[in-house]
Amino acid sequence: MAKTIVIIGAGLAGTTAARELSERGQAVTLVDPAAGETSERPPLSKHLFDDSRYHLPFHLEASDLITFVRDKATEITLAEVADQSQQAGTVHLASGETLDFTHCILATGMEANRPEIPGYPDALPVYNLTEAEWIRKFVAESDGPLNVGVLGSGYLGMEVATSAVAAGHEATVYLRGDEPLRKQLSAHVRTALFEKHKDAGVKFVAHTSSPDDIPADTHNLFVTSVGARPALIPIDGVRPAEAWEVNEKLATSHAGVWAAGDCALITDGVFALDQPWACEPVAESHGKYLAELLSSDDGETGEPWSDIPWHWSFQGPEKVFTAGLTSPDATDTLIRHDPSGKKFQVFHFNGSAPGARLVGVETLNWPPLQAAARRVLAGNNIPTRAQIEDPDFDLKAHSRL
């Protein structure tokens, strides 16, 4: 039976899947109010205050195999009996139209949390191209250095603040706790970044319990970065509280429906996590994986998704990377510096015994070693704690084995 594939969401995961499927000769329909007008989001927060490229376009053209539907999907209903000879379900659109499918990929991404800041009613996150363009225009039209306020201290917030300071502006980050990047990086990495950012001139206000505590008339530009949540549509009236739980093949519990990228919570397999991976390399990898899985004749029995998840964040002049399974609360780690002491890696293991295997790596300001870490984690010769503890261990050489 011919496959009818509908992809909901024209972000990185959805457009990657659509492109890859079309290159394999499979027709797809891509549903999104902005379908065909998308751009990659990751660099938006990194270059708001300079003339560098602040987004990476990834245009996807309509073709004989790619159909854009510029509408909002509101719900999915599944067929009462879904088998090889029947439709799996129907996508319902805000316009009232419907699209039947045999296979559906949910790639709806995330929506930024948008807290109200009483002293700054125009505060906004940098989560889409429109917001980034508004800020860049504001910066370009300003007469002199800006005083930038940032609520939130995850990756995006720190990228905004550090890029502002690097461009000659002032920046103050309001922390809920007493340090930034508490949920993203292990203690050694986040402490090193904290000190570097303070030395560079970023100001921090700790223990900001409420937006009401932020003084008004201090900042002439304010950016919020307090997390995001998956954008979800119901299936047969059911909408998860957090994200769509998927197995190691990215399949949901609903027949004929898969989820990819930021709206997918992987619960099985090597890279199961208690939250969506929410990083652009994973979204792209998910799209490529599902295109291969769904275009093959044995898609239902194909191999699980197994690419090494990784993330990058450029915070002013500082470059931080993660690869594999890392944890901000990890204790089973080892640290290796370069001879200058300015670059280092934190190695995460699945235990404290000498034979414990490497499962993840954090890298600060050492891109070639980040690439080596990814190769090692993706290979068949995973080093142990004892091996990496050896002063003569060479990660780059090991990555070529």
Side-chain angles (χ1 to χ4, degrees):
M1 183 184 72
K3 297 174 182 176
T4 303
I5 299 180
V6 175
I7 301 171
I8 303 176
L12 185 55
T15 54
T16 299
R19 180 185 294 113
E20 295 282 328
L21 282 162
S22 68
E23 290 176 354
R24 290 169 167 80
Q26 172 63 52
V28 296
T29 299
L30 191 62
V31 181
D32 191 298
E37 298 177 351
T38 54
S39 62
E40 188 177 351
R41 189 175 65 238
L44 291 180
S45 56
K46 300 170 178 64
H47 297 293
L48 293 173
F49 302 94
D50 59 34
D51 294 327
S52 300
R53 182 171 59 181
Y54 66 103
H55 73 287
L56 302 176
F58 60 98
H59 302 297
L60 185 65
E61 302 293 336
S63 67
D64 292 340
L65 294 175
I66 298 175
T67 301
F68 292 141
V69 175
R70 300 176 187 274
D71 203 343
K72 180 178 175 61
T74 57
E75 64 177 327
I76 292 174
T77 55
L78 300 178
E80 290 187 10
V81 178
D83 60 32
Q84 294 293 324
S85 63
Q86 294 182 323
Q87 296 288 356
T90 301
V91 176
H92 300 262
L93 306 176
S95 63
E97 298 178 75
T98 59
L99 298 169
D100 291 332
F101 65 83
T102 59
H103 301 73
C104 178
I105 299 174
L106 300 171
T108 47
M110 284 192 172
E111 301 170 322
N113 296 325
R114 297 175 182 269
E116 293 185 3
I117 315 295
Y120 302 93
D122 293 331
L124 78 169
V126 187
Y127 217 74
N128 59 48
L129 191 56
T130 300
E131 293 162 349
E133 289 176 339
W134 186 93
I135 291 177
R136 285 174 64 86
K137 182 179 179 181
F138 185 90
V139 172
E141 294 176 350
S142 62
D143 295 330
L146 297 169
N147 189 317
V148 182
V150 179
L151 176 62
S153 58
Y155 285 128
L156 188 150
M158 295 311 304
E159 289 163 3
V160 170
T162 54
S163 63
V165 168
H169 304 284
E170 295 182 52
T172 301
V173 179
Y174 293 88
L175 306 170
R176 176 170 292 181
D178 56 8
E179 61 180 345
L181 301 162
R182 176 62 186 84
K183 295 182 179 180
Q184 288 79 24
L185 299 168
S186 65
H188 196 77
V189 183
R190 64 178 183 260
T191 298
L193 283 171
F194 195 14
E195 295 304 318
K196 288 176 179 291
H197 295 334
K198 286 188 291 185
D199 290 345
V202 180
K203 301 174 184 176
F204 293 89
V205 177
H207 304 294
T208 305
S209 59
S210 168
D212 296 344
D213 299 336
I214 298 172
D217 302 322
T218 299
H219 310 289
N220 42 23
L221 176 63
F222 206 99
V223 177
T224 63
S225 172
V226 290
R229 59 196 180 281
L232 305 170
I233 62 173
I235 298 178
D236 283 346
V238 176
R239 187 200 312 260
E242 299 295 333
W244 289 111
E245 293 188 357
V246 299
N247 62 18
E248 70 275 15
K249 296 181 183 177
L250 307 185
T252 71
S253 59
H254 300 283
V257 182
W258 288 257
D262 296 351
C263 69
L265 174 60
I266 301 173
T267 60
D268 297 318
V270 177
F271 297 118
L273 201 65
D274 59 0
Q275 61 190 14
W277 276 99
C279 56
E280 55 278 2
V282 168
E284 184 175 22
S285 174
H286 281 181
K288 291 180 178 179
Y289 169 78
L290 285 178
E292 182 175 356
L293 183 77
L294 300 187
S295 61
S296 64
D297 293 334
D298 61 345
E300 304 299 326
T301 58
E303 294 296 318
W305 175 71
S306 59
D307 283 354
I308 298 300
W310 65 281
H311 182 269
W312 57 282
S313 177
F314 292 0
Q315 301 174 18
E318 314 302 333
K319 297 177 174 63
V320 62
F321 308 88
T322 65
L325 293 169
T326 64
S327 168
D329 300 312
T331 56
D332 292 320
T333 60
L334 290 174
I335 301 167
R336 292 174 64 102
H337 290 81
D338 82 326
S340 73
K342 297 179 180 179
K343 308 172 185 178
F344 65 84
Q345 290 187 299
V346 178
F347 296 88
H348 295 243
F349 302 90
N350 62 359
S352 56
R357 285 164 54 89
L358 181 72
V359 295
V361 182
E362 297 169 290
T363 305
L364 183 63
N365 292 329
W366 214 350
L369 270 294
Q370 153 69 6
R374 288 173 55 195
R375 290 195 298 271
V376 166
L377 290 168
N380 296 318
N381 193 6
I382 306 296
T384 65
R385 184 184 186 95
Q387 286 176 281
I388 295 177
E389 217 164 16
D390 184 341
D392 294 327
F393 178 79
D394 186 331
L395 182 69
K396 190 176 291 187
H398 193 91
S399 73
R400 300 190 185 102
L401 295 179

